[in-house]
Amino acid sequence: MRVLLFNRKCPAHPTAGGAEVYTREVLSRWAARGHDVTWFAAAVTGRPAEEVRADGVRVVRAGGRFGVHRAARAWYAAARRRGEHFDLLVDEVDTRPFGCATWSDGVPSVAFVHRVARELWAHEFPWPLSWFGRTVAEPRWLRTLADVPVLTVSPSSRRSLREYGLRRITLVPEGMDARRRPDVAREVRPTLVHVGRLTSGSQVDQLFEAVRLLREQIPGVRLWLVGDGPAARRLRRSAPDGVLFHGRVPVHKRDELLARAHALVSTAAREGWALAVDEAAAMGTPAIAYANPGLVDAVPAAQGVLVAPAPAALAAGLAEHLPGWCEAPSPGGWRGGALSWDEVADAVWEACAAHVARVGPDPAPV
C-alpha cells in the first residue's frame, strides 16, 4: 500500500515530541513490511527538501510553521499531476488539520489526533488570542473532521473529540520499547523526577510549589528535571533548593535517572497519553500526577496515584505515599498501559486498512 502522512513536524524538527516518535515508530514498521511510505512536514533548516531515511520512509519538507498546510495541498496536487498514486492519506493533527479529506481527490483519508489543545491555548498564547483559539479556531477546525475516520490514543482524547462533534473515532494504543531496569541503586535521599519538555503547559511552577509544601514534612526531598524546552530559563530562575536540571539526556541516561528516583511526578495540564509514566513503570518507579486528561488514563494503567490538580493536593499525596516508596522500592519494573511498537503498528494499520477497504482503491489521477 502507498501511504502519505501529513504532520507539521518530522523527527528532525527542533520541537518534535512524542507524537513524532509515535509516527516514526509506526511508519518505519510499515516501510519494513514493504509498504511505500511518505511523510510530508514543514521545512527544517539544514535538512533537504526530500530524503529517504535509513528506515525506508521518504520525508518531504516544504512550508513553514504557518505555511505548511498550504504547501501540503500544493505538493499533493503536483504529485497527482506527476502521476503519483496513494492508497491512503493520514492527516496527523497538531491543533489544526491539514484537511486531506476535502482535497484528497477521492483517495481514502483518516485523521490522527493525539490530543486536543483546549486549555493549552492559555499556556501558549496571550489573551485574547488564547480565547479565540480555544473557543473559535480549534472547535471550527476539528468540526471539519466530524465525518472523517479519526484515530486517537486515549479515552481522554476520545471524550474531548466527541465534545467537538466527531463521531467516527477509533482508539489505538500507545507504544514503547521494552527494556530492563538498569542495575543501579535508589537514591539515599527521597528523590522525585519529572520527564518531559519544559513548557508552560507542563506547569512545573506548580510542581515547585508542591515541593516547597512537601519539604515542611519531608525536608530532604529532591527534584530532578529531565528534558529541556522554552520554559527552562524561567524555571531555573524560580527553582527552589534541591532542584537539579539534567536537560536532554540519552535514553539510557534517562532510564538510569528514572531507576534511581523514588517517584515520577507530572503536573501537565493535558496529555494525549503520558508515555513517561510507562517508561517510569518499566524502571520500577511509580508515578503520581494531576488527574488531568491523558494522565487519568496512563497513571492508573501503570498502578500510579492521581491527585486533584493543585500543588497542595500533590504535596499531600506525596507526603502519604513517598515514605513507603522510599522504604520499599521495587527491585524491578512492570508494564503500564503502553504496548510494544509492533503491536501499535498492527493496530493502526488495521484501523487504516479497514477504511481503505470500505472506500476502495486510489482513483487514477487526472
Side-chain angles (χ1 to χ4, degrees):
M1 191 180 293
R2 295 151 298 187
V3 180
L4 172 58
L5 176 137
F6 297 91
N7 182 325
R8 189 170 67 85
K9 306 171 188 175
C10 69
H13 196 281
T15 64
E20 287 68 49
V21 172
Y22 189 111
T23 305
R24 181 194 67 207
E25 296 292 342
V26 169
L27 295 191
S28 66
R29 282 163 173 78
W30 290 0
R33 297 169 188 175
H35 300 290
D36 186 334
V37 181
T38 299
W39 183 338
F40 184 95
V44 175
T45 302
R47 302 305 292 260
E50 184 170 332
E51 65 178 321
V52 177
R53 290 167 44 90
D55 58 13
V57 176
R58 176 175 66 151
V59 180
V60 177
R61 303 182 180 94
R65 178 179 180 183
F66 300 107
V68 63
H69 298 82
R70 186 184 313 110
R73 185 170 182 173
W75 183 88
Y76 180 74
R80 298 287 285 174
R81 288 194 296 271
R82 291 193 301 269
E84 287 198 56
H85 289 245
F86 299 100
D87 300 299
L88 172 69
L89 305 187
V90 181
D91 185 341
E92 191 161 15
V93 180
D94 182 2
T95 308
R96 177 186 172 187
F98 282 84
C100 300
T102 65
W103 44 260
S104 67
D105 195 22
V107 177
S109 171
V110 301
F112 201 136
V113 187
H114 292 265
R115 70 178 182 188
V116 303
R118 195 164 288 183
E119 53 274 277
L120 297 178
W121 283 96
H123 289 279
E124 299 295 332
F125 297 97
W127 191 90
L129 188 57
S130 58
W131 171 87
F132 180 82
R134 175 169 179 167
T135 62
V136 179
E138 185 174 36
R140 182 179 297 172
W141 289 332
L142 291 178
R143 279 196 296 268
T144 64
L145 302 176
D147 295 315
V148 176
V150 174
L151 310 181
T152 194
V153 295
S154 71
S156 291
S157 290
R158 180 172 58 189
R159 284 192 295 272
S160 296
L161 291 169
R162 284 174 174 166
E163 290 169 4
Y164 284 118
L166 279 66
R167 296 182 287 272
R168 302 173 64 187
I169 305 171
T170 300
L171 199 60
V172 293
E174 183 58 84
M176 64 174 286
D177 293 316
R179 35 188 193 275
R180 293 182 178 274
R181 182 184 185 277
D183 186 18
V184 294
R186 300 283 175 178
E187 292 294 297
V188 175
R189 293 172 57 184
T191 302
L192 309 173
V193 61
H194 176 279
V195 176
R197 292 194 75 232
L198 300 179
T199 65
S200 176
S202 63
Q203 302 188 131
V204 175
D205 308 83
Q206 296 191 29
L207 178 54
F208 287 171
E209 180 58 25
V211 168
R212 292 186 182 97
L213 294 170
L214 181 62
R215 284 230 173 91
E216 296 175 6
Q217 301 180 64
I218 308 177
V221 69
R222 297 186 301 178
L223 171 63
W224 293 342
L225 298 180
V226 179
D228 206 347
R233 182 177 298 181
R234 173 178 58 79
L235 291 170
R236 287 179 184 274
R237 293 194 297 266
S238 63
D241 292 339
V243 175
L244 179 60
F245 289 77
H246 286 274
R248 295 187 66 179
V249 299
V251 171
H252 74 274
K253 179 64 175 178
R254 181 197 62 202
D255 286 351
E256 178 188 317
L257 293 170
L258 284 168
R260 287 165 52 193
H262 298 101
L264 175 86
V265 287
S266 178
T267 47
R270 174 179 286 269
E271 296 278 8
W273 179 255
L275 191 56
V277 171
D278 296 275
E279 292 167 339
M283 300 300 111
T285 303
I288 182 167
Y290 278 3
N292 281 336
L295 291 166
V296 299
D297 307 305
V299 173
Q303 306 170 44
V305 175
L306 292 169
V307 299
L314 179 57
L318 284 165
E320 177 184 355
H321 295 281
L322 185 58
W325 292 336
C326 292
E327 291 170 11
S330 173
W334 60 86
R335 186 171 183 173
L339 304 185
S340 72
W341 284 119
D342 286 340
E343 292 172 304
V344 171
D346 287 343
V348 178
W349 182 260
E350 289 172 7
C352 292
H355 177 58
V356 172
R358 285 192 297 268
V359 174
D362 175 16
V366 295

